[in-house]
Amino acid sequence: MEQKQDLSVSRLANAWAELQAHASEGNPLEADASRLAFADPEFLLRRETRGIRFQLELLKPDLEQQAHGIENTVVVFGSARFRSEEDSVTMVAEAEASGDVEVIDRARKLARNAHYYEKARAFGKLVAQYSEDKPPETKLFICTGGGPGIMQAANRGAHEAGGLSVGLAIALPMEEAANPYVPPELSFKFHYFALRKMHFMMRAKALVVFPGGFGTLDELFEVITLVQTRKAKPVPIILFGSSYWKRLLNTDMLVEEGVISPNDLKLFQYVDDAQVAWDLIKNFYRL
């Protein structure tokens, strides 16, 4: 009996099969003019095809998030170096056992900030608990850079509350593995910072920024600038850890020098408690 064909089956040949078979035989991959263009890594990685790679990095995470019903996110930034209070105790003990003064000093500094990990974890849990029984169009999902530290903490909190969360990782030389609290289907990796930043903002309904270094500052000021210049709609921008941020940012000086206006200081708020941060977001959207 003749087998019937399924109309929903794609008729596009699996062009990757050739490459997989080639690799399984241990053959090195070389440029091949006869290879299909979209299945040719040598071609896709040329300088001239950079624009195509931009499009792919924009499209892939977009389609996957749409498929999982993720339309609204709360983005959490912060240091990748902070650890949980439990891990910090172990880290300090190992450092002290080494006898290295510099290693001990660094471990103690990081342990001093372990409470931020626990607060980011608590915040992630609050967001996921709110969304648990909401219709898809009003759910909020935690979105982070997908790495360790504060990012892991927020994803972990959402995971512990039974919620999905998103990780937008970046390929870096000193990169650690993606944290285990983001489901694999929502754990993305980027080559281009610009495309990653676009994805942070495309669905963001709020930004919560914990203490961090250059990367965190880069992400924070990117968002503040977009909102200030009206390239992005106003969203709650919450600086978590008022003592840290007020020591770091002398915003009054910027006003005094005339490089920002007094109203620009209303673009962000300081908080020190996970519930207060969540309440600010709820009040902003009247949730």
Side-chain angles (χ1 to χ4, degrees), residues 81-95 107-115 117-118:
R81 303 186 183 192
F82 294 164
R83 296 294 182 263
S84 67
E85 292 180 344
E86 181 180 1
D87 288 346
S88 293
V89 172
T90 302
M91 178 177 61
V92 171
E94 291 175 350
R108 288 175 176 171
K109 286 178 179 177
L110 293 176
R112 187 175 66 210
N113 290 305
H115 65 100
Y117 180 104
E118 302 303 336

Side-chain angles (χ1 to χ4, degrees), residues 147-169:
I150 293 298
M151 296 172 281
Q152 181 193 89
N155 291 131
R156 180 178 180 179
H159 174 78
E160 290 171 341
L164 291 176
S165 64
V166 180
L168 306 178

Side-chain angles (χ1 to χ4, degrees), residues 35-255:
R35 188 178 295 132
L36 291 171
F38 60 82
D40 189 344
E42 295 286 341
F43 172 70
L44 289 177
L45 293 175
R46 289 175 58 138
R47 179 180 60 83
E48 295 89 346
T49 57
R50 183 177 292 132
I52 297 172
R53 297 197 297 275
F54 284 176
Q55 293 175 11
L56 293 174
E57 284 210 343
L58 180 64
L59 187 60
K60 180 181 176 180
D62 191 33
L63 293 177
E64 287 300 317
Q65 289 181 80
Q66 285 182 33
H68 287 82
I70 296 175
E71 296 297 333
N72 308 304
T73 61
V74 176
V75 176
V76 178
F77 293 142
S79 176
R81 303 186 183 192
F82 294 164
R83 296 294 182 263
S84 67
E85 292 180 344
E86 181 180 1
D87 288 346
S88 293
V89 172
T90 302
M91 178 177 61
V92 171
E94 291 175 350
E96 291 176 343
S98 73
D100 188 316
V101 176
E102 290 186 5
V103 172
I104 294 171
D105 181 62
R106 183 173 182 273
R108 288 175 176 171
K109 286 178 179 177
L110 293 176
R112 187 175 66 210
N113 290 305
H115 65 100
Y116 288 122
Y117 180 104
E118 302 303 336
K119 290 174 180 176
R121 181 179 172 185
F123 178 77
K125 188 174 295 186
L126 287 171
V127 175
Q129 288 172 339
Y130 162 81
S131 296
E132 183 178 6
D133 58 353
K134 298 295 183 294
E137 64 273 12
T138 61
K139 285 180 180 288
L140 289 165
F141 298 89
I142 289 291
C143 176
T144 76
I150 293 298
M151 296 172 281
Q152 181 193 89
N155 291 131
R156 180 178 180 179
H159 174 78
E160 290 171 341
L164 291 176
S165 64
V166 180
L168 306 178
I170 185 83
L172 298 173
M174 61 288 197
E175 176 191 27
E176 297 185 44
N179 79 67
Y181 299 105
V182 182
E185 63 272 21
L186 293 172
S187 182
F188 304 102
K189 181 172 286 187
F190 291 81
H191 175 74
Y192 297 105
F193 271 107
L195 273 299
R196 181 178 182 241
K197 288 177 179 179
M198 283 190 67
H199 272 287
F200 276 132
M201 287 304 295
M202 283 169 63
R203 292 172 168 81
K205 293 298 184 287
L207 174 72
V208 182
V209 190
F210 284 78
F214 289 154
T216 301
L217 293 174
D218 173 52
E219 292 157 343
L220 167 62
F221 283 111
E222 179 88 15
V223 176
I224 289 179
T225 302
L226 287 172
V227 175
Q228 181 202 42
T229 58
R230 300 182 183 178
K231 290 291 186 180
K233 293 181 179 180
V235 296
I237 301 174
I238 298 168
L239 304 186
F240 203 111
S242 57
S243 62
Y244 180 93
W245 290 110
K246 288 179 180 179
R247 285 169 57 208
L248 177 61
L249 305 177
N250 188 352
T251 52
D252 290 336
M253 183 275 286
L254 296 177
V255 174

